[in-house]
Amino acid sequence: MHNFEIKPITKDTNILIVGLGVIGGGYARALSRQGYRVRCITKNQADIDYALGLGMIESGTTEVDPALIGDADLVVFALYPHVFLEWIRAHQSLFKPGALITDVTGVKGSVVNAVQGMLREDVEFIAAHPMAGRERSGVEYSDDSVFQGANFIVTPTERNTPAAIAVARQLGEILGFARISELTPQKHDEMIAFLSQLTHCIAVTLMTCSNKPSLEEYTGDSFRDLTRIAKINDEMWSELFLLNRDELLREMDSFIAEFGRFRYMLAMNDREGMRETMRASTARRAMFDKPKADADGTPNP
């Protein structure tokens, strides 16, 4: 543990977002709307201009600006995992002593251990995962309303201080997430393999398992709903899948076995078996509905 103080987020906290895409942009919208000071570093000047035009950020640059980085109290990294690691290796000397950094990365085990293992002792990294996103990428598709009613997961390790964990949870609250949880990086990756990565695999393969012509002319909403996430960022998701390969393979095998069981019931004309599975599915699905908000915006389970 370090001997510097991690302070709660206030309106005087200098917040820097590195990577102004769909999630980084959502953070910027939510924070700036509430009066927090947000600056950014991102690849494209057009994204900065877009964000400035909407008041999402106070300022931004496409350069690795030592002054901007050195002024930041809280740095949010919204980058692909390998880019995040490369950035820390190359530029961590620019952080101010006592800075707190966090992320939005969808896989934690390999990322958290790598970053905490290389990071300076006077800077702390507390990992987090906002369980909300869009099927499209780019700051122009960012929308902080997707955070409302959604889940936010903080993934601390033994290297993290209670103060840093509290700030990560506070950030989730400021952004508007309904449920804020804590998991170890390993438990996070086990969970995410099923809840997110497997679902994307199913959506992708459902779209590619048939090439019959003109199907789009006959489909209903059930197919559209089930395959919404098949419009996928192949660069990002292929990296996430490979970083969590063993956990994802286990979940794929489990799904294949359950699908095979259901197929067998159909082949055997086992209507009652299918109905029992459907009833279990209906009851289980009700548990996953987002909590409704009261009139004042407070989540109401």
Side-chain angles (χ1 to χ4, degrees), residues 9 21 65-66 84 88 101 127 144 156 184 186 195 212 218-219 274:
I9 301 169
D65 185 337
F84 179 28
I88 296 297
I101 67 174
D144 59 302
T184 66
Q186 292 72 27
L195 287 178
K212 294 177 181 177
Y218 319 120
T219 189
M274 289 191 293

Side-chain angles (χ1 to χ4, degrees), residues 47-201:
D47 293 339
I48 295 172
D49 295 340
Y50 177 87
L52 286 170
L54 293 179
M56 294 167 56
I57 57 173
E58 182 180 288
S59 65
T61 178
T62 60
E63 304 296 327
V64 178
D65 185 337
L68 189 63
I69 298 165
D71 192 45
D73 303 301
L74 174 65
V75 186
V76 178
F77 284 91
L79 303 172
Y80 293 164
H82 75 279
V83 178
F84 179 28
L85 296 178
E86 291 168 2
W87 202 103
I88 296 297
R89 289 190 189 97
H91 306 301
Q92 65 165 301
S93 63
L94 302 177
F95 293 130
K96 70 190 297 184
L100 181 65
I101 67 174
T102 188
D103 71 332
V104 304
T105 312
V107 171
K108 294 304 183 192
S110 56
V111 172
V112 175
N113 292 335
V115 172
Q116 290 188 337
M118 75 172 86
L119 196 62
R120 290 162 36 194
E121 292 186 359
D122 60 350
V123 176
E124 185 168 353
F125 171 48
I126 176 68
H129 186 184
M131 294 295 291
R134 304 290 293 274
E135 61 271 21
R136 296 185 177 183
S137 58
V139 67
E140 66 271 26
Y141 297 110
S142 63
D143 178 7
D144 59 302
S145 69
V146 301
F147 302 155
Q148 305 300 315
N151 298 321
F152 187 84
I153 304 170
V154 181
T155 58
T157 73
E158 68 282 354
R159 299 190 186 199
N160 285 120
T161 61
I165 296 169
V167 170
R169 295 182 66 98
Q170 181 193 8
L171 178 60
E173 292 170 1
I174 292 169
L175 293 169
F177 286 88
R179 290 193 196 91
I180 299 172
S181 307
E182 293 178 28
L183 290 173
T184 66
Q186 292 72 27
K187 288 294 184 182
H188 168 276
D189 288 355
E190 292 174 13
M191 176 276 302
I192 211 70
F194 175 72
L195 287 178
S196 178
Q197 295 180 340
L198 177 64
T199 56
H200 282 79
C201 290

Side-chain angles (χ1 to χ4, degrees), residues 237-255:
W237 282 99
S238 60
E239 180 175 359
L240 295 175
F241 289 172
L242 289 169
L243 287 173
N244 205 31
R245 181 181 62 183
D246 291 346
E247 295 295 345
L248 179 54
L249 286 172
R250 274 191 281 273
E251 296 298 345
M252 292 174 81
D253 289 343
S254 177
F255 176 79

